[in-house]
Amino acid sequence: MQSNDFGRVNRRVWGRIFGLFIRKGREKKGYSVEQVAGLAGLEPSAWAAFEAGGVPETVVQLRLMAGALEFSDRQLATVVQLCRDASQA
């Protein structure tokens, strides 16, 4: 496997882990995608894309998502770490 192939796979894996983390947080709160996206000021399609493995492009998006899910500082730090790993690949 070439280095750039590994990078793509790595990004995809970390993105999916991030998406799972976000989805589980939403489900724990009992929110639909539409509800939580509204709380975060995002389009439902954007939220769904993040749950599918997309990674927020800005810290602002990440903070809005964390706020909507009422994540603690520790949970937010975990999300930031996952995003960092997903976006570096």
Side-chain angles (χ1 to χ4, degrees):
M1 181 180 288
Q2 293 182 350
S3 167
N4 59 349
D5 291 339
F6 180 75
R8 281 190 287 262
V9 169
N10 191 41
R11 178 178 169 80
R12 203 168 30 239
V13 167
W14 281 109
R16 287 190 178 158
I17 291 170
F18 170 76
L20 179 63
F21 187 81
I22 295 299
R23 182 174 57 83
K24 290 294 185 183
R26 174 181 61 78
E27 289 173 348
K28 185 176 179 182
K29 289 291 186 183
Y31 294 142
S32 69
V33 169
E34 292 77 13
Q35 290 170 316
V36 76
L39 291 171
L42 299 170
E43 292 295 322
S45 60
W47 190 280
F50 295 139
E51 286 191 11
V55 179
E57 295 180 14
T58 68
V59 173
V60 172
Q61 285 178 323
L62 188 60
R63 285 192 177 276
L64 290 170
M65 293 173 75
L69 294 171
E70 299 176 7
F71 281 169
S72 68
D73 289 344
R74 183 179 205 138
Q75 288 170 310
L76 179 58
T78 300
V79 172
V80 168
Q81 184 65 37
L82 288 174
C83 281
R84 185 185 66 79
D85 289 344
S87 63
Q88 282 185 348

